[in-house]
Amino acid sequence: MDNHFDVIVLGTGLTESITAAALSKAGFKVAHIDPNPYYGGDEASLSLDELVQWVDHYKEDNHSVTHYGEVPPHARQYSVSLAPSVIPSIGPFISSLIASGVSRYGSFKLLGRVVIYDGGILKDVPQSKDDIFQSTAMSLLEKRRVTRFLMFAAGEFENSKELHGQENSPLLDFLHGIFLLSEATARAITYALGYCYFISETTLPTLHRIRAYLKASGRYGPSSFLVGYYGGSGEIAQGFCRAAAVRGGVYILGQSVTRISSVDPAGPESPVLTSDIPRFAVEVDDFPDRLHCRCLISSTTLLPGHLRTVADVIRPSISSCGSPRLFAMARCIAIVDGPIALPLDTKDSGVSDASDSSLLVFPPGSLNGGSAISAVHVMTAGSGTMSAPSGKGILYISMPLPTNSIHSAEVLLRPYLSAVLLLFRAEQQQKTLIWSTFYIQELASCTTSTSDSLVGLLAVPPLSPHTTQGVDEAAIIAEATFRKAVSSLNGEIKETNQGCEQNVFWPLLTEMEEGEGNVMQW
């Protein structure tokens, strides 16, 4: 194998995989390495027996991990996500999916329902004017106020009189004070339309997100969001890796990088037959020769500590809710016996969607024994997205932690798991818990880049854990990484054999077969 590359990428997480695919399509020679035997890194989609192995390995470094139950039969038929999320129907990520052609490698469906836990029952969150006027839970005056707010949020509100001086106030205060919304309606908008995690989250960034989601509604159907089949983001990351491999990318899985060093341009290891002088040498387990590259891109979690301080860390250009920087996420994955369809609120909007892909939001303080400061998201998945065998379901429970918690993930999340199972029992949908795990996912902090950053050494942060915004941040960071990588490769802007410039993030759709780039598999 030729051991000289333009770019070496460490980690096959979603951001790294998008970047690798874009660089390969732009004509650069790419090697992509991951110490795991599977694609996706910390965002992987795993079969249930692979998940059990992952939990056992995770326990070695994190003793608060717990799991219960026996692995059920047909464990290979499960596809469980380590980073459950939804895809906004309009945004940077869906644009990358289509423009790259990776949408052809996967299948997607609309997110079924978004519901909020209120007083022990589930209430559907209105996503459009039709939903509002069909609802029997709001008075006519409240419906008019909500409609006025949605029209405001969908428009150009930046210079409006309503927003003036309120940009940094909590969204809940803004909704109460300016639009006179009731407490229940304001909480529904804040936590299940703006998807805030904390009560203190500010108005302007949340309005930006609400506007994006309102515009996304109707592109593919009534929901603003899509969900991917076979576990979501991990399967999609594999699709981007496939796109890179098709364009000549070299993949090395299940092998750890043992050493990374700078290369002396005058040394004997520099290529003799080319003017492309490598900047880095990478040593990989069981590889007799070093791999060389001019640009090294790595997940911050895989980059050795001594290189993190000299790497150019790529930052997202959008704010995650205007919320405090998260320290960790408490997570629970639960396998239940029986298909999952959230109980309907028959007194409300008359929604009849029985999709097994839904999002349930617990606002802060809504559950006895639960968190008083964090909103908790519960995503459901089942056979409708090929994530579980027929008659089985998966619950993903996530709680953001702004600081280190003295409690284990099980103590934090067990009340929410019990509440969801109780909701099913109340609707005579008895669900037996087959297997479950609780763990704390610590979020790696990114060291601020210094003026002494090594040229060509780029670091990307882990995928944002935000349920609705994470994948868009991944696409934005991937494009910024792509452009910096191209710039570091001696600033070359040359033509590829397809005739597109190397600084174009994705080739023009016209270069593909007609209609190829705009296909979404349903």
Side-chain angles (χ1 to χ4, degrees):
M1 180 182 75
D2 185 359
N3 62 343
H4 291 96
F5 298 89
D6 294 316
V7 184
I8 293 178
V9 181
L10 305 183
T12 56
L14 190 58
T15 306
E16 303 93 278
S17 299
I18 297 172
T19 307
L23 288 166
S24 290
K25 280 206 163 191
F28 292 106
K29 189 176 179 182
V30 176
H32 205 167
I33 305 171
D34 197 303
N36 299 301
Y38 48 78
Y39 295 93
D42 291 336
E43 300 113 50
S45 298
L46 305 176
S47 64
L48 195 50
D49 48 4
E50 289 174 330
L51 179 62
V52 171
Q53 295 175 15
W54 181 89
V55 168
D56 290 339
H57 177 75
Y58 203 76
K59 276 185 175 180
E60 296 176 5
D61 299 320
N62 190 329
H63 299 294
S64 68
V65 180
T66 56
H67 74 278
Y68 302 92
E70 298 295 328
V71 177
H74 312 297
R76 301 290 299 178
Q77 294 183 23
Y78 292 86
S79 189
V80 184
S81 176
L82 297 180
S85 60
V86 296
I87 304 168
S89 297
I90 293 177
F93 184 73
I94 198 76
S95 296
S96 286
L97 266 180
I98 294 172
S100 64
V102 172
S103 59
R104 297 170 299 152
Y105 299 150
S107 296
F108 308 86
K109 67 179 292 186
L110 286 171
L111 178 68
R113 295 169 62 204
V114 177
V115 295
I116 191 167
Y117 185 87
D118 184 11
I121 61 174
L122 301 183
K123 294 184 177 180
D124 283 276
V125 178
Q127 304 289 312
S128 67
K129 287 193 294 184
D130 288 342
D131 291 341
I132 293 169
F133 285 104
Q134 289 176 11
S135 173
T136 60
M138 290 186 285
S139 67
L140 182 58
L141 179 60
E142 187 78 354
K143 291 179 181 180
R144 289 175 176 171
R145 289 172 175 172
V146 173
T147 301
R148 176 172 168 253
F149 168 75
L150 293 181
M151 293 177 65
F152 166 82
E156 301 299 322
F157 48 72
E158 283 80 358
N159 297 316
S160 66
K161 66 180 187 300
E162 290 92 345
L163 186 61
H164 180 68
Q166 302 289 326
E167 294 88 346
N168 296 316
S169 64
L171 181 66
L172 274 174
D173 293 346
F174 176 73
L175 295 174
H176 289 315
I178 302 301
F179 290 92
L180 306 178
L181 296 177
S182 67
E183 178 67 20
T185 302
R187 284 166 65 85
I189 290 174
T190 299
Y191 299 112
L193 187 59
Y195 297 99
C196 293
Y197 278 141
F198 306 103
I199 193 172
S200 61
E201 293 185 19
T202 55
T203 296
L204 184 58
T206 310
L207 285 177
H208 283 145
R209 193 165 52 256
I210 291 174
R211 179 170 61 191
Y213 299 157
L214 290 174
K215 290 183 177 180
S217 178
R219 183 179 187 183
Y220 296 112
S223 176
S224 299
F225 303 103
L226 302 173
V227 289
Y229 280 37
Y230 300 105
S233 57
E235 184 70 13
I236 297 170
Q238 184 170 341
F240 279 103
C241 292
R242 178 180 175 186
V246 167
R247 293 303 180 102
V250 174
Y251 277 80
I252 303 171
L253 299 183
Q255 302 294 335
S256 298
V257 171
T258 57
R259 187 169 179 237
I260 301 172
S261 56
S262 298
V263 174
D264 180 0
E269 292 181 332
S270 296
V272 177
L273 301 179
T274 177
S275 60
D276 296 336
I277 305 299
R279 298 189 181 107
F280 303 98
V282 178
E283 297 179 22
V284 182
D285 269 346
D286 296 331
F287 273 68
D289 299 323
R290 294 179 175 180
L291 306 181
H292 297 87
C293 63
R294 293 185 292 145
C295 178
L296 180 67
I297 301 170
S298 175
S299 162
T300 53
T301 58
L302 294 179
L303 198 62
H306 71 283
L307 291 178
R308 292 182 191 176
T309 56
V310 293
D312 185 356
V313 180
I314 311 300
R315 303 284 182 175
S317 61
I318 56 178
S319 168
S320 295
C321 315
S323 60
R325 184 180 297 276
L326 298 183
F327 174 80
M329 291 289 287
R331 294 195 182 276
C332 168
I333 301 172
I335 310 298
V336 298
D337 186 12
I340 291 179
L342 291 176
L344 294 172
D345 178 13
T346 56
K347 297 180 181 180
D348 199 1
S349 62
V351 176
S352 59
D353 181 12
S355 171
D356 59 7
S357 298
S358 301
L359 177 58
L360 164 59
V361 178
F362 286 85
S366 61
L367 181 69
N368 290 334
S371 174
I373 62 171
S374 299
V376 171
H377 291 176
V378 180
M379 283 189 62
T380 68
S383 59
T385 54
M386 305 298 178
S387 298
S390 179
K392 301 293 187 289
I394 305 174
L395 296 172
Y396 299 104
I397 308 177
S398 305
M399 175 192 291
L401 303 176
T403 59
N404 192 9
S405 174
I406 62 173
H407 300 295
S408 68
E410 182 174 1
V411 170
L412 294 171
L413 298 180
R414 176 70 73 175
Y416 295 95
L417 177 59
S418 299
V420 174
L421 296 177
L422 185 62
L423 287 169
F424 288 125
R425 285 197 291 270
E427 294 291 320
Q428 298 181 346
Q429 297 183 43
Q430 183 71 34
K431 298 290 185 292
T432 303
L433 193 60
I434 300 176
W435 187 90
S436 62
T437 184
F438 300 85
Y439 62 96
I440 299 288
Q441 176 196 5
E442 293 189 5
L443 305 176
S445 59
C446 301
T447 305
T448 303
S449 302
T450 68
S451 57
D452 298 326
S453 297
L454 288 179
V455 175
L457 180 60
L458 306 176
V460 298
L463 181 71
S464 166
H466 195 274
T467 304
T468 63
Q469 191 168 300
V471 294
D472 275 346
E473 283 195 15
I476 290 171
I477 295 172
E479 181 168 1
T481 306
F482 167 85
R483 297 198 183 284
K484 287 203 173 187
V486 171
S487 177
S488 74
L489 293 167
N490 303 321
E492 296 178 358
I493 304 297
K494 59 187 179 183
E495 298 286 320
T496 68
N497 55 3
Q498 285 82 26
C500 73
E501 289 187 345
Q502 287 185 303
N503 67 331
V504 177
F505 188 44
W506 297 115
L508 297 177
L509 293 182
T510 54
E511 295 172 13
M512 305 178 186
E513 296 179 7
E514 185 176 356
E516 178 187 59
N518 199 32
V519 173
M520 295 291 289
Q521 299 294 328
W522 298 87

